[in-house]
């Protein structure tokens, strides 16, 4: 984990508590570039891009905070530097940005959840997410040899879908190894994931799960189903339990919540190690 003695801090949107962006001892602003929609050939999304590795990419699928939230961009910068990758955080909400203070302060009545769910339903966003992953491996979109994917909360269901065996069907060799969309995945406190999503994972895509102890979205039943099913399928996987913390901890890193800052850092370190292992072989 990098640190600095500088007192400079990122500029924050109105209403965001500074403790929510200091989980890493980070100083300065995010170092990547926000690109306009369609800047990556084969995609239609605006995207935050950071890192310069021409061979290895990581796709981050954000949560309800969206692609502009400072923490997700700081995480992307850490992945780029520490996992030696070019990292992409696309806007998968069609320009919608939920006021982060409403989520941080749990003012749910002020968020049009019904509209959000309709406009960002799985069937709406899944084609975009698949297309972005495919684009990264295409010559026009970067020609990356290895692509990892990391998804938090909303992005959790998409991680399992990107890892699905169906992407290899009909395109595999005699050994059954087909054309994967991604080469390794990590999910933290996933939301909207189903048992069927877990059951459809390819044995050729290693899966890492970061699971808070208290999570009404990723229930004990789903946690157990993940553990049992991935073993049965023969999927290389790692399951990390984070005691004492709650859903959302890996993005918030809120110093006001006991253990959350430490969980965010530990989760970041685990994801970096996982991506280094499977995308670089070390």
């Amino acid at each position: 984990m990098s640190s600095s003695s500088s007192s400079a801090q990122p500029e924050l949107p109105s209403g965001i508590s500074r403790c929510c962006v200091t989980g890493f001892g980070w100083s300065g602003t995010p170092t990547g570039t926000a690109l306009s929609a369609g800047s990556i050939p084969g995609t239609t999304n605006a995207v935050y891009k950071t890192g310069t590795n021409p061979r290895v990419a990581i796709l981050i699928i954000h949560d309800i905070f969206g692609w502009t939230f400072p923490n997700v961009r700081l995480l992307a910068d850490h992945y780029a530097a520490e996992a030696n990758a070019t990292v992409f955080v696309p806007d998968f909400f069609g320009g919608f940005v939920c006021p982060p203070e409403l989520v941080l302060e749990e003012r749910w009545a002020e968020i049009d959840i019904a509209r959000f769910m309709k406009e960002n339903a799985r069937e709406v966003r899944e084609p975009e997410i698949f297309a972005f992953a495919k684009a990264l491996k295409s010559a026009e979109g970067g020609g990356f040899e290895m692509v990892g994917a990391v998804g938090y909360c909303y992005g959790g269901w998409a991680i399992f879908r990107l890892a699905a065996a169906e992407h290899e069907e009909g395109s595999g060799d005699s050994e059954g190894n087909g054309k994967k969309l991604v080469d390794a995945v990590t999910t933290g406190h996933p939301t909207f994931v189903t048992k069927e999503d877990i059951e459809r994972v390819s044995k050729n895509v290693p899966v890492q799960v970061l699971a808070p102890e208290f999570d009404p979205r990723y229930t004990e039943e789903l946690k157990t189903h993940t553990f049992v099913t991935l073993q049965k399928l023969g999927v290389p996987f790692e399951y990390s339990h984070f005691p004492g913390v709650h859903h959302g901890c890996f993005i918030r890193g809120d110093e006001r919540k006991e253990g959350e800052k430490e969980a965010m850092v530990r989760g970041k370190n685990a994801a970096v190690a996982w991506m280094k292992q499977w995308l670089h072989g070390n």
Side-chain angles (χ1 to χ4, degrees):
M1 180 177 64
S2 63
S3 62
S4 172
S5 60
S6 171
S7 60
Q9 293 291 342
E11 291 299 319
L12 306 182
S14 175
I16 296 299
S17 169
R18 185 164 301 282
C19 74
C20 297
V21 294
T22 59
F24 304 122
W26 188 277
S27 63
T29 58
T31 58
T33 303
L35 304 176
S36 59
S39 294
I40 307 300
T43 74
T44 59
N45 313 85
V47 61
Y48 177 78
K49 179 182 178 182
T50 181
T52 59
N53 193 314
R55 191 183 74 86
V56 175
I58 296 174
L59 169 62
I60 295 181
I61 305 172
H62 54 73
D63 62 357
I64 194 171
F65 285 114
W67 76 297
T68 62
F69 188 53
N71 277 14
V72 76
R73 295 189 176 191
L74 294 176
L75 279 168
D77 289 345
H78 274 273
Y79 292 147
E82 297 171 31
N84 186 18
T86 301
V87 182
F88 298 84
V89 186
D91 171 19
F92 284 126
F93 289 165
F96 169 82
V97 175
C98 181
E101 64 272 18
L102 299 184
V103 181
L104 290 167
E105 297 171 11
E106 300 183 0
R107 291 154 55 188
W108 304 112
E110 299 177 47
I111 304 173
D112 191 346
I113 294 294
R115 177 184 174 187
F116 173 83
M117 293 299 300
K118 180 180 179 180
E119 294 181 354
N120 300 292
R122 286 174 52 137
E123 61 269 21
V124 174
R125 299 304 175 190
E126 184 176 277
E128 290 182 33
I129 294 169
F130 286 176
F132 207 102
K134 290 177 183 177
L136 293 180
K137 286 196 172 184
S138 71
E140 297 77 13
F144 294 96
E145 297 173 32
M146 302 294 288
V147 175
V150 180
Y152 298 99
C153 187
Y154 175 92
W157 66 266
I159 290 306
F160 285 97
R161 294 293 297 127
L162 284 169
E166 68 194 58
H167 304 302
E168 301 169 285
E169 294 172 1
S171 61
D173 57 24
S174 60
E175 303 264 326
N177 299 308
K179 189 174 182 180
K180 298 179 287 186
L181 289 184
V182 293
D183 299 284
V185 298
T186 294
T187 182
H189 42 70
T191 296
F192 305 134
V193 65
T194 67
K195 289 183 177 181
E196 290 73 21
D197 294 334
I198 298 165
E199 292 162 2
R200 294 166 72 177
V201 168
S202 167
K203 66 179 181 180
N204 299 311
V205 181
V207 175
Q208 180 186 53
V209 178
L210 310 176
E213 179 179 0
F214 306 110
D215 194 338
R217 304 302 180 190
Y218 189 46
T219 63
E220 294 300 319
E221 183 179 3
L222 280 172
K223 290 174 180 176
T224 300
H225 190 75
T226 302
F227 198 87
V228 172
T229 301
L230 295 185
Q231 286 187 87
K232 187 182 299 184
L233 293 173
V235 178
F237 80 98
E238 177 179 275
Y239 183 100
S240 294
H241 174 67
F242 290 73
V245 291
H246 296 254
H247 180 90
C249 61
F250 303 122
I251 287 291
R252 287 190 310 255
D254 193 337
E255 293 172 331
R256 297 166 298 183
K257 299 179 184 294
E258 184 176 358
E260 190 162 289
K261 174 182 173 180
E262 292 78 9
M264 187 178 186
V265 174
R266 179 186 160 206
K268 182 270 297 182
N269 289 343
V272 165
W274 188 252
M275 291 298 162
K276 287 176 68 175
Q277 176 182 351
W278 294 103
L279 302 185
H280 293 282
N282 58 15

